Amino acid sequence: MYTVVINGKPKGPYELNQLAELNIVPGTFVKKPGMDDYKEAHEFPELRELLGFTFQQTAPQYFASFDQRLLASVIDYFFITLFYISLILICFIFVTGQTERITLFLSFLPAIPLAKFFYGSIAEASSRQATLGKRLLNIRVTDQLGNRISLGVSFIRNLSKILSVIPLFFGYLYSFLNRKQQCWHDIAANTLVIKDRLI
């Protein structure tokens, strides 16, 4: 069963064979059970076969906002920090002196941003294209056409965050001035952070 957006309003549900009677074009928004969001008709293999469409690679039109990206990063740091504290508490079983415990805790603090760098790079190049924080907010990292990025590009993107941080975080704030809401590290790696289409 399919729901079709006709004249700006969802109509249906329709069975597959009924769709041939509607004035559906490749860009018509369609949704079927189990989908969180609408997709364009040409993105469905069965509709391409039924209606004679061809798949059209289109550039993303919906970009993650600064506050979504910031919240996703906060979530990622929260879980990484929680994991770090858990490891330190386990180490405290074997380290009893107060001074030694404080030294141990502080000595490995730089491991948190380092872990975030490697985790972010690997997760954003994975099939999910997102870290846990981004997944919770339904945003993901893509190339300019919405495709999955390679691990090399992901490492470049995350390493380039230094460029966004150094000038008083202006590289992040630049997203307010950019039509695709790209930060400087996105521009350096030629990537986007996109969100699901909203109807």
Side-chain angles (χ1 to χ4, degrees):
M1 303 300 287
Y2 298 80
T3 302
V4 181
V5 176
I6 301 174
N7 295 324
K9 296 181 180 180
K11 302 288 185 179
Y14 300 99
E15 293 185 2
L16 180 61
N17 59 351
Q18 293 178 294
L19 298 181
E21 303 171 6
L22 303 177
N23 185 26
I24 294 178
V25 297
T28 299
F29 291 140
V30 180
K31 185 169 73 170
K32 60 183 180 180
M35 291 175 53
D36 294 329
D37 205 352
Y38 288 84
K39 289 185 177 181
E40 294 182 350
H42 68 87
E43 298 181 75
F44 294 84
E46 66 271 27
L47 295 187
R48 292 200 296 270
E49 181 178 350
L50 176 69
L51 303 172
F53 298 152
T54 56
F55 179 74
Q56 302 172 2
Q57 181 75 51
T58 56
Q61 300 295 320
Y62 305 89
F63 309 105
S65 62
F66 176 79
D67 58 330
Q68 287 177 311
R69 298 173 63 161
L70 178 61
L71 180 56
S73 184
V74 169
I75 293 172
D76 289 334
Y77 270 112
F78 171 77
F79 283 109
I80 291 172
T81 302
L82 196 63
F83 180 72
Y84 172 77
I85 292 173
S86 298
L87 287 179
I88 291 296
L89 290 176
I90 293 173
C91 292
F92 280 0
I93 297 174
F94 308 99
V95 179
T96 56
Q98 182 177 359
T99 302
E100 289 79 4
R101 285 183 170 183
I102 293 174
T103 302
L104 177 66
F105 180 81
L106 296 178
S107 297
F108 290 96
L109 274 179
I112 293 177
L114 191 62
K116 174 66 166 62
F117 168 76
F118 282 105
Y119 167 64
S121 298
I122 294 170
E124 290 166 2
S126 70
S127 59
R128 292 183 178 270
Q129 300 174 258
T131 61
L132 178 59
K134 286 184 173 68
R135 284 164 53 189
L136 290 174
L137 294 176
N138 293 319
I139 62 178
R140 62 187 186 277
V141 179
T142 73
D143 65 10
Q144 291 293 322
L145 289 177
N147 299 315
R148 177 180 173 183
I149 62 174
S150 67
L151 184 60
V153 170
S154 189
F155 272 117
I156 291 172
R157 179 181 181 275
N158 282 279
L159 187 61
S160 297
K161 288 181 179 180
I162 297 173
L163 300 176
S164 296
V165 170
I166 288 177
L168 299 176
F169 292 90
F170 180 78
Y172 282 97
L173 299 177
Y174 179 76
S175 63
F176 289 106
L177 307 176
N178 184 278
R179 184 175 61 85
K180 297 180 179 180
Q181 300 194 46
Q182 292 172 290
C183 300
W184 281 359
H185 54 275
D186 295 310
I187 295 173
N190 201 29
T191 58
L192 302 170
V193 182
I194 65 173
K195 62 183 179 181
D196 290 341
R197 180 187 296 120
L198 298 177
I199 297 296

